[in-house]
C-alpha cells in the first residue's frame, strides 16, 4: 500500500513539475527512479518488476513516451537486487532497506549512481534510437545523471 501511494506521488511530481524541467535544454530530473532504489533486500523479484513497470507506465501516460519509462524502469528493477548485493554485508537481513542512513554516504552514492546511470543511459538511448546526434545524447545522459543524483541524495538525506 505504501508503494502505491508513493507511485501516485512520484508520478504526479514527475508529470506535473519535474518532467517540464530541462536545464540547458538537455538535463531532466528523473526522480521517479528513486522508488526502485528504495526496494528492500527481501522484496520478491516479481514485486520489483511489477511495481517498477506500473510506475514507468504511469509516467509514460503523462509524458507521452509509450513504453519508454516502463521498459527502462523494469530493467532497472531487474538489476537493482544484484547491485544492492554488491554493497551489503552477509549479516544484513531481508528487511534491509537501502538509504544513506543504513549504508553510509559512500556506499549509497555508488549504489545510486550505478542504477541512475543505467536508467539514464538506457532511457536516453531508447529515446534517441540513433546516435546521429551523439553529443546531444551524451549531454542528456550525463546532465540527467548529475541532476537526478543531486535530487535523490537531497531527498534521501532529508527522509530520515
Amino acid at each position: 500500500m505504501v508503494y502505491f501511494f508513493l507511485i501516485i506521488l512520484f508520478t504526479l511530481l514527475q508529470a506535473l513539475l519535474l518532467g517540464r524541467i530541462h536545464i540547458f535544454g538537455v538535463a531532466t530530473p528523473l526522480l521517479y527512479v528513486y522508488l526502485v532504489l528504495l526496494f528492500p533486500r527481501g522484496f520478491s523479484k516479481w514485486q520489483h518488476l511489477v511495481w517498477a513497470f506500473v510506475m514507468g507506465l504511469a509516467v509514460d501516460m503523462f509524458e507521452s513516451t509509450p513504453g519508454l519509462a516502463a521498459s527502462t524502469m523494469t530493467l532497472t528493477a531487474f538489476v537493482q537486487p544484484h547491485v544492492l548485493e554488491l554493497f551489503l554485508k552477509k549479516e544484513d537481513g531481508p528487511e534491509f532497506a537501502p538509504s544513506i542512513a543504513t549504508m553510509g554516504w559512500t556506499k549509497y552514492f555508488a549504489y545510486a549512481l550505478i542504477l541512475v546511470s543505467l536508467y539514464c543511459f538506457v532511457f536516453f538511448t531508447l529515446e534517441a534510437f540513433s546516435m546521429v546526434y551523439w553529443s546531444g545524447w551524451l549531454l542528456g545522459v550525463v546532465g540527467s545523471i548529475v541532476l537526478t543524483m543531486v535530487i535523490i541524495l537531497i531527498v534521501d538525506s532529508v527522509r530520515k
Side-chain angles (χ1 to χ4, degrees), residues 3 33-43 48 76-88 96-119 145 149 152-153 156 159:
Y3 284 104
V33 75
Y34 178 61
L35 283 182
V36 173
L37 274 65
L38 294 177
F39 291 154
R41 184 181 199 183
F43 222 46
H48 276 108
T76 306
F78 179 76
V79 173
Q80 186 265 353
H82 305 290
V83 173
L84 181 60
E85 288 298 321
L86 296 173
F87 298 99
L88 297 182
F96 181 87
S99 70
I100 292 172
T102 59
M103 296 174 75
W105 273 92
T106 308
K107 283 185 180 181
Y108 186 78
F109 180 82
Y111 162 73
L113 184 63
I114 290 169
L115 291 174
V116 169
S117 297
L118 171 71
Y119 184 86
I145 289 170
M149 283 297 297
I152 284 175
L153 292 174
D156 199 75
R159 188 173 67 116

Side-chain angles (χ1 to χ4, degrees), residues 3-156:
Y3 284 104
F4 183 73
F5 173 73
L6 289 174
I7 284 174
I8 291 171
L9 177 70
F10 278 68
T11 300
L12 290 175
L13 183 64
Q14 185 69 37
L16 301 176
L17 180 66
L18 298 175
R20 310 220 184 292
I21 298 172
H22 304 289
I23 298 181
F24 302 118
V26 293
T28 304
L30 303 167
L31 183 60
Y32 59 97
V33 75
Y34 178 61
L35 283 182
V36 173
L37 274 65
L38 294 177
F39 291 154
R41 184 181 199 183
F43 222 46
S44 69
K45 291 186 192 310
W46 71 268
Q47 286 177 316
H48 276 108
L49 299 177
V50 169
W51 283 117
F53 178 78
V54 168
M55 177 72 166
L57 191 61
V59 170
D60 281 334
M61 287 190 287
F62 280 106
E63 298 289 326
S64 299
T65 54
L68 185 60
S71 61
T72 311
M73 284 289 282
T74 304
L75 174 66
T76 306
F78 179 76
V79 173
Q80 186 265 353
H82 305 290
V83 173
L84 181 60
E85 288 298 321
L86 296 173
F87 298 99
L88 297 182
K89 301 175 204 132
K90 293 197 186 288
E91 60 268 7
D92 291 328
E95 69 284 342
F96 181 87
S99 70
I100 292 172
T102 59
M103 296 174 75
W105 273 92
T106 308
K107 283 185 180 181
Y108 186 78
F109 180 82
Y111 162 73
L113 184 63
I114 290 169
L115 291 174
V116 169
S117 297
L118 171 71
Y119 184 86
C120 289
F121 177 80
V122 173
F123 183 85
F124 286 103
T125 301
L126 290 175
E127 184 180 53
F129 209 64
S130 121
M131 290 298 158
V132 174
Y133 303 108
W134 67 271
S135 60
W137 167 84
L138 185 61
L139 285 172
V141 170
V142 172
S144 294
I145 289 170
V146 170
L147 189 57
T148 302
M149 283 297 297
V150 166
I151 293 172
I152 284 175
L153 292 174
I154 290 169
V155 168
D156 199 75

